[in-house]
Amino acid sequence: MAQRLGTLLVPVLGLSGTTYPPGTTVAIRGGGATVDAFVNGDWLPLEWWEFSDGLREDVSTDR
């Protein structure tokens, strides 16, 4: 499956121990309920509700 770009919707902890905030662009591999995502080589195993396919310019946490 091809790699695509996505945007984090919630803070996510990477394998390195770095927490990536909402709005972070990730490279996504795979499909279904869980995917592998990467930020500068750091692996983030994501659930379907933690990211949005494609890029979003403004991901606001103020509701």
Side-chain angles (χ1 to χ4, degrees), residues 24-57:
T24 300
T25 299
V26 295
I28 300 169
R29 294 185 194 144
T34 61
V35 298
D36 293 324
F38 299 88
V39 176
N40 297 323
D42 193 8
W43 176 53
L44 291 77
L46 297 179
E47 299 290 332
W48 65 269
W49 53 270
E50 295 177 307
F51 72 98
S52 172
D53 274 325
L55 299 176
R56 293 178 59 184
E57 291 184 21

Side-chain angles (χ1 to χ4, degrees), residues 1 5 7 9-11 15-17 20 24 26 28 31-34 36-37 40 45-46 52 56-57 59-62:
M1 185 172 276
L5 295 179
T7 304
L9 299 175
V10 296
L15 187 62
S16 70
Y20 296 94
T24 300
V26 295
I28 300 169
T34 61
D36 293 324
N40 297 323
L46 297 179
S52 172
R56 293 178 59 184
E57 291 184 21
V59 176
S60 176
T61 56
D62 297 331

